[in-house]
């Protein structure tokens, strides 16, 4: 690996697979299944085609800003105030998303395998680990992610193929039993996960070479498959009604895993999947919250990261019921994430459009002045 603080597009894609994949694989299903029910897979496919079209916009912005920090580009070409406002607001959003992911992990840990352990111990220890990883660099995050992701993928394929014996694909029919209304009522949830693909744009200055459109496309495809896999698995294993009642459908699938007559209760492997996914997601979001601010001094970065980590700890120490957390994520976090990223992408594309238009005008003026001077001579 080169010692210039940059990573390859493959390494960045693997980080996105882990960090955003946790949300797509776990967080989205409890909200998507009750809304779209049996036809949730159609909702996910429609979301994929919408995101693929939206990726054209990201590619347009990337080509215009070319390997430069997006917010520095805005400050230099549009104005310092718009660049700072965008960077600070995005940094705050990343901290909020990190706090929500940490809260979900703590709640699931208490429900599943550590019911007696005080939550503040888990919160402080986990946040401390995320702080140390986020305080390194993107290369370290990429190396750690590569190691942990290998096992996550292996366990995911293991549970998918082992449970084939319990899957009944006839439960996916009848298609559109209640029309198109359920399909579109749940579309905001997969879109909320897929739109976090915009992190590729915020990390373009950390990547060797340009990001081609196929990078955006394949990342969108992988993130879509991470929703479709556990979604179809839940419906075919438990039925649409039972799957919609479950709090963690992806986790419940591990309860069915058996190897022959004597090997069962392998759901402890899901603990590794969730913890490593949350570890990379929270660490990466903390890293992004600093990266968008373009802070140069290491000391200032560390101080701000300590503040963000304390925000995570304090916000998670506040007791909130599972029902309230579910309501907040469903009503505010997921729709807010989607609409905010969509608005930022549209705003950046407008900035790029007007900047290119200004360049063309300047070029035309120079050419006209040149022609006029030649005619005068």
């Amino acid at each position: 690996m080169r010692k210039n603080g940059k990573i390859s597009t493959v390494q960045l894609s693997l980080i996105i697979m882990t960090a955003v994949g946790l949300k797509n694989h776990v967080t989205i299903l409890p909200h998507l299944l009750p809304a779209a029910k049996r036809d949730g897979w159609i909702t996910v496919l429609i979301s994929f085609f919408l995101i693929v079209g939206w990726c054209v916009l990201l590619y347009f912005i990337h080509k215009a800003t070319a390997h430069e920090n997006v917010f520095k580009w805005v400050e230099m070409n549009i104005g310092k105030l718009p660049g700072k406002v965008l960077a600070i607001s995005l940094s705050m959003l990343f901290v909020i998303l990190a706090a929500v992911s940490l809260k979900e992990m703590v709640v699931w840990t208490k429900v599943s395998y550590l019911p007696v352990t005080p939550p503040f111990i888990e919160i402080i220890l986990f946040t401390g680990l995320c702080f140390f990883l986020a305080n390194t660099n993107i290369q370290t995050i990429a190396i750690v992610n590569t190691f942990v992701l290998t096992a996550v993928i292996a366990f995911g394929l293991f549970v998918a193929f082992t449970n084939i014996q319990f899957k009944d694909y006839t439960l996916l029919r009848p298609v559109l039993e209640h029309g198109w209304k359920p399909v579109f009522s749940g579309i905001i949830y997969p879109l909320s996960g897929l739109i976090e693909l915009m992190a590729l744009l915020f990390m373009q200055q950390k990547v060797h070479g340009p990001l081609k459109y196929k990078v955006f496309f394949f990342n969108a495809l992988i993130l879509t498959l991470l929703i479709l896999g556990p979604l179809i698995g839940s419906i075919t294993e438990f039925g649409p009604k039972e799957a919609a009642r479950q709090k963690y459908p992806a986790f419940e699938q591990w309860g069915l895993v058996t190897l022959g007559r004597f090997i069962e209760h392998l759901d402890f492997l899901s603990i590794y999947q969730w913890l490593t996914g949350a570890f990379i997601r929270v660490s990466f979001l903390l890293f992004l919250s600093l990266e968008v601010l373009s802070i140069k001094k290491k000391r200032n970065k560390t101080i701000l990261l300590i503040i963000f980590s304390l925000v995570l700890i304090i916000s998670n120490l506040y007791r909130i019921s599972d029902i309230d957390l579910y309501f907040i994520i469903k009503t505010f976090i997921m729709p807010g994430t989607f609409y905010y990223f969509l608005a930022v992408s549209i705003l950046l594309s407008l900035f790029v459009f007007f900047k290119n238009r200004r360049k063309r005008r300047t070029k035309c003026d120079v050419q006209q002045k040149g022609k006029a001077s030649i005619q005068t001579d």
Side-chain angles (χ1 to χ4, degrees), residues 24-34 37-41 159-160 163-164 166-172 225-256:
N24 290 9
H25 204 70
V26 175
T27 307
I28 288 173
L29 297 190
H31 307 279
L32 176 60
L33 280 164
K37 299 179 177 64
R38 193 192 309 269
D39 295 322
W41 61 276
V159 69
N163 283 347
I164 287 178
F166 304 112
K167 293 179 181 179
D168 181 6
Y169 288 95
T170 60
L171 293 171
L172 294 173
L225 293 175
L226 287 173
I227 307 175
L228 273 179
L231 173 67
I232 294 176
S234 296
I235 295 172
T236 55
E237 291 169 26
F238 303 108
K241 291 184 180 179
E242 178 60 28
R245 295 191 191 104
Q246 293 173 349
K247 188 173 183 181
Y248 305 113
F251 173 67
E252 295 297 336
Q253 294 175 44
W254 277 96
L256 300 176

Side-chain angles (χ1 to χ4, degrees), residues 266-290:
L266 298 174
D267 47 346
F268 67 91
L269 295 175
S270 66
I271 296 172
Y272 174 85
Q273 285 186 307
W274 193 311
L275 287 181
T276 53
F279 175 52
I280 296 298
R281 177 172 174 81
V282 173
S283 301
F284 183 59
L285 287 172
L286 286 175
F287 181 85
L288 272 175
S289 67
L290 299 177

Side-chain angles (χ1 to χ4, degrees), residues 135-180:
N135 197 38
T136 56
N137 53 54
I138 192 61
Q139 290 179 324
T140 305
I141 296 174
I143 293 170
V144 173
N145 176 69
T146 303
F147 279 110
V148 301
L149 182 60
T150 304
V152 169
I153 294 173
F155 294 154
L157 294 174
F158 170 72
V159 69
F161 286 109
T162 306
N163 283 347
I164 287 178
Q165 57 185 320
F166 304 112
K167 293 179 181 179
D168 181 6
Y169 288 95
T170 60
L171 293 171
L172 294 173
R173 301 194 303 267
V175 179
L176 299 176
E177 181 183 8
H178 302 288
W180 287 96

Side-chain angles (χ1 to χ4, degrees), residues 199-257:
L200 285 171
L201 196 65
F202 302 144
M203 293 297 297
Q204 64 181 11
Q205 69 276 6
K206 294 290 185 180
V207 179
H208 298 299
L211 294 173
K212 298 179 180 179
Y213 177 76
K214 65 181 180 181
V215 175
F216 294 97
F217 176 84
F218 283 117
N219 273 276
L221 179 61
I222 291 169
L223 293 179
T224 302
L225 293 175
L226 287 173
I227 307 175
L228 273 179
L231 173 67
I232 294 176
S234 296
I235 295 172
T236 55
E237 291 169 26
F238 303 108
K241 291 184 180 179
E242 178 60 28
R245 295 191 191 104
Q246 293 173 349
K247 188 173 183 181
Y248 305 113
F251 173 67
E252 295 297 336
Q253 294 175 44
W254 277 96
L256 300 176
V257 176

